[in-house]
Amino acid sequence: MAWSPKIEEHVLCKRIPTWPYGDPKDRRIVGYDDYTKTGGYEGLRKALTMAPGDVVEAVKTSMLRGRGGAGFPTGLKWTFLPKLEDGKDSLEQRGPRYLAVNADESEPGTFKDRLLMDFDPHLVLEGIAITCYACRLDKAFIYIRGEYHHQAKVLEKAIAEAYDKGIFGPKGLTNTDANTGGTRFQVDCYVHRGAGAYICGEETALLEGLEGKRGWPRIKPPFPAVEGLFGRPTIINNVETLAHVPSIVENGAEWFTKQGVESTVGGPPSYGTKLMGVSGHVNRPGVYELELGIPLKVLVEEYCGGMRNGKKYKAAIPGGVSMGVLGTDQYEAELDFDIGRKYNVLGLGTAGPTVFDEDTDMVAVARNIARFYKHESCGQCTPCREGTGWLYQLVSRIEDGHAKTKDLDMALEIATSMGSMPGTTICGLADGNNWALRTIMNKFRDEFESRVKPSHVAVKMTIGAAAHS
């Protein structure tokens, strides 16, 4: 498949050496001074000369879609906040409003946000500052997964630099006369470390965790933009999403829309570059910044050095295990937000492909995924709490060779009846389990059927109410 990038440079990885434009061995943490010397915080300075509503409109026009998994248009999400009356945008008049940064990144096979937090934390902080200014958000909380010990320390050091250099706090850039929003404005930023729960990657469970509660997803409505953290209007954005904001503000929405691809199925376009964390059976796994729309085959063979040990491609998970699997005949699938409707997966997700070679046991893959979801279900919804356990038992039985055909059918029936899309659970954890298992079972049905024993169901013929078999 012919494919060529429209830009020959990195946007998010401008300061992070990444193949093919740099050697990862040269990576180091970019501090405030190095960040500003390479154009850092210019997007924020430009934003401060604009009215907050104009910044929101620029991001909305860019059609930047969320990079956390769902792909919802970012600027549109910002407009869901309650409108402020003219001249009443001070904290005392409107009350507190918050930004929650989703840095949980606990989706298996996903490690692209970690790259930004590891080496270029100020890019994320600049995106946070611009977003807070544009949406009139007073405090930002970076909810980072509990296992990211080093990344939390890097962020905390960068935040301390940002306070010292005039980005956050009462002496920050957002509290100077350059602010054209009408009132002097300041932003505070904090790191909040989670306890390692997968479910806290779901936005409302993340809010519960921030409030010090058990990470249980909330019923919606009310939506977070109206009633979120501590019952106040809240915007929730992913790390990579916010990292795109400075370049959009600095270069303009039109510049951003020249990257990526248009939709081919009538949905919103897939503009911009995307961090793609590739793992599995490839010669050069790692994080690559590429334009949306790149075919999986091109990513693997031209950027990742091909399949490991010269083996053939068999399957791939396009973006975190919850998205389901691409089959052997879907090697050239385009990695954009249309992938779900075109290739029968849940979606692009985090765009972190896990690639499997020809020797992979897909039954074992399904069992491992089922075990993960059984462990990570919060237990609030009965179909998810019980269904994840049943699926793990059934797939384990199939893998062990002790199952019958009816067990395979039962596993598919259970999978398709649990999740927020069938309407049986509050959040999408069960949907992730559902799509992961049934796409593997359906696209590699022969592997499952070879492990089960045929079921014989006797058919009884009756004539009349009193007939005997």
Side-chain angles (χ1 to χ4, degrees):
M1 179 177 293
W3 182 87
S4 60
K6 300 183 183 69
I7 57 171
E8 294 291 342
E9 59 184 2
H10 283 139
V11 178
L12 299 180
C13 294
K14 177 180 178 181
R15 302 169 190 86
I16 307 174
T18 305
W19 300 116
Y21 305 121
D23 190 338
K25 293 180 182 178
D26 297 329
R27 290 173 180 171
R28 60 185 177 81
I29 299 174
V30 179
Y32 177 86
D33 290 338
D34 288 336
Y35 184 70
T36 54
K37 288 177 183 177
T38 53
Y41 288 113
E42 288 303 316
L44 174 60
R45 289 186 173 87
K46 181 178 179 181
L48 294 172
T49 66
M50 303 165 62
D54 292 339
V55 180
V56 173
E57 189 60 31
V59 175
K60 185 178 178 181
T61 303
S62 74
M63 293 299 295
L64 169 66
R65 297 179 67 170
R67 270 38 175 171
F72 192 83
T74 303
L76 180 61
K77 177 188 280 191
W78 291 0
T79 65
F80 293 161
L81 286 165
K83 298 294 187 293
L84 299 175
E85 297 181 33
D86 293 339
K88 293 185 178 181
D89 62 350
S90 67
L91 177 61
E92 294 76 15
Q93 293 170 317
R94 56 172 166 73
R97 288 148 62 107
Y98 303 112
L99 172 66
V101 182
N102 190 341
D104 193 62
E105 196 167 52
S106 49
E107 179 75 18
T110 304
F111 45 93
K112 44 93 177 179
D113 290 341
R114 176 178 177 173
L115 181 74
L116 297 174
M117 294 184 286
D118 262 331
F119 300 108
D120 201 2
H122 280 282
L123 178 62
V124 181
L125 298 185
E126 184 177 6
I128 289 171
I130 294 172
T131 302
C132 288
Y133 170 77
C135 299
R136 315 315 273 170
L137 310 174
D138 310 282
K139 290 181 172 60
F141 297 91
I142 304 173
Y143 187 98
I144 190 168
R145 66 179 296 186
E147 294 86 350
Y148 277 2
H149 305 287
H150 172 71
Q151 291 73 25
K153 292 178 181 178
V154 172
L155 281 172
E156 286 171 346
K157 182 178 179 180
I159 290 172
E161 286 185 313
Y163 270 92
D164 183 59
K165 299 295 185 179
I167 305 301
F168 297 128
K171 298 180 180 179
L173 288 173
T174 48
N175 195 33
T176 68
D177 292 335
N179 187 330
T180 61
T183 57
R184 301 173 78 89
F185 189 71
Q186 75 176 61
V187 177
D188 288 301
C189 184
Y190 309 94
V191 172
H192 180 100
R193 298 183 63 176
Y198 170 77
I199 193 61
C200 285
E202 195 277 335
E203 61 177 16
T204 59
L206 183 152
L207 295 179
E208 291 287 292
L210 273 174
E211 293 179 359
K213 303 173 186 174
R214 177 183 293 181
W216 274 13
R218 301 174 180 175
I219 295 174
K220 295 181 285 190
F223 292 94
V226 177
E227 188 175 324
L229 185 63
F230 306 119
R232 297 297 304 167
T234 305
I235 289 295
I236 306 168
N237 284 139
N238 169 260
V239 166
E240 185 187 351
T241 308
L242 293 168
H244 269 294
V245 171
S247 61
I248 291 173
V249 172
E250 184 177 358
N251 300 307
E254 184 179 354
W255 164 84
F256 185 77
T257 60
K258 292 178 180 178
Q259 310 160 36
V261 293
E262 297 284 349
S263 173
T264 58
V265 295
S270 298
Y271 290 145
T273 62
K274 181 77 183 68
L275 294 179
M276 300 181 181
V278 186
S279 58
H281 303 147
V282 296
N283 283 317
R284 193 165 62 197
V287 179
Y288 299 83
E289 184 185 0
L290 299 163
E291 289 179 62
L292 285 164
I294 182 173
L296 175 63
K297 184 176 181 179
V298 174
L299 172 60
V300 171
E301 297 187 0
E302 295 186 14
Y303 291 88
C304 300
M307 298 296 296
R308 194 173 62 188
N309 299 324
K311 295 185 178 179
K312 295 180 181 179
Y313 162 85
K314 181 175 184 177
I317 296 168
V321 297
S322 61
M323 294 299 107
V325 69
L326 294 168
T328 307
D329 61 343
Q330 298 175 330
Y331 193 19
E332 296 190 354
E334 302 87 359
L335 298 175
D336 58 40
F337 290 107
D338 290 342
I339 193 171
R341 294 172 64 180
K342 291 163 64 176
Y343 296 99
N344 191 29
V345 291
L346 183 54
L348 181 64
T350 55
T354 304
V355 185
F356 304 117
D357 67 24
E358 57 190 319
D359 295 334
T360 305
D361 182 350
M362 299 307 294
V363 179
V365 171
R367 184 261 307 150
N368 197 36
I369 292 173
R371 180 204 59 81
F372 172 79
Y373 281 107
K374 173 182 178 293
H375 181 269
E376 294 297 335
S377 173
C378 77
Q380 184 176 190
C381 305
T382 302
C384 181
R385 181 183 67 245
E386 302 300 325
T388 53
W390 293 345
L391 284 173
Y392 177 60
Q393 290 181 28
L394 287 167
V395 178
S396 297
R397 191 184 304 166
I398 293 169
E399 183 185 25
D400 293 339
H402 300 150
K404 295 184 178 180
T405 307
K406 65 179 182 180
D407 293 316
L408 180 55
D409 295 335
M410 185 181 297
L412 285 168
E413 182 178 350
I414 291 171
T416 54
S417 62
M418 53 188 273
S420 60
M421 283 185 282
T424 60
T425 61
I426 292 174
C427 86
L429 184 143
D431 293 285
N433 194 4
N434 168 355
W435 279 84
L437 293 188
R438 68 187 174 95
T439 54
I440 294 174
M441 290 181 184
N442 287 328
K443 294 180 181 181
F444 297 93
R445 177 89 182 188
D446 56 334
E447 292 193 33
F448 288 84
E449 289 181 340
S450 68
R451 306 279 269 272
V452 300
K453 302 171 184 177
S455 301
H456 176 70
V457 180
V459 178
K460 299 180 180 180
M461 301 297 293
T462 60
I463 302 176
H468 298 282
S469 59

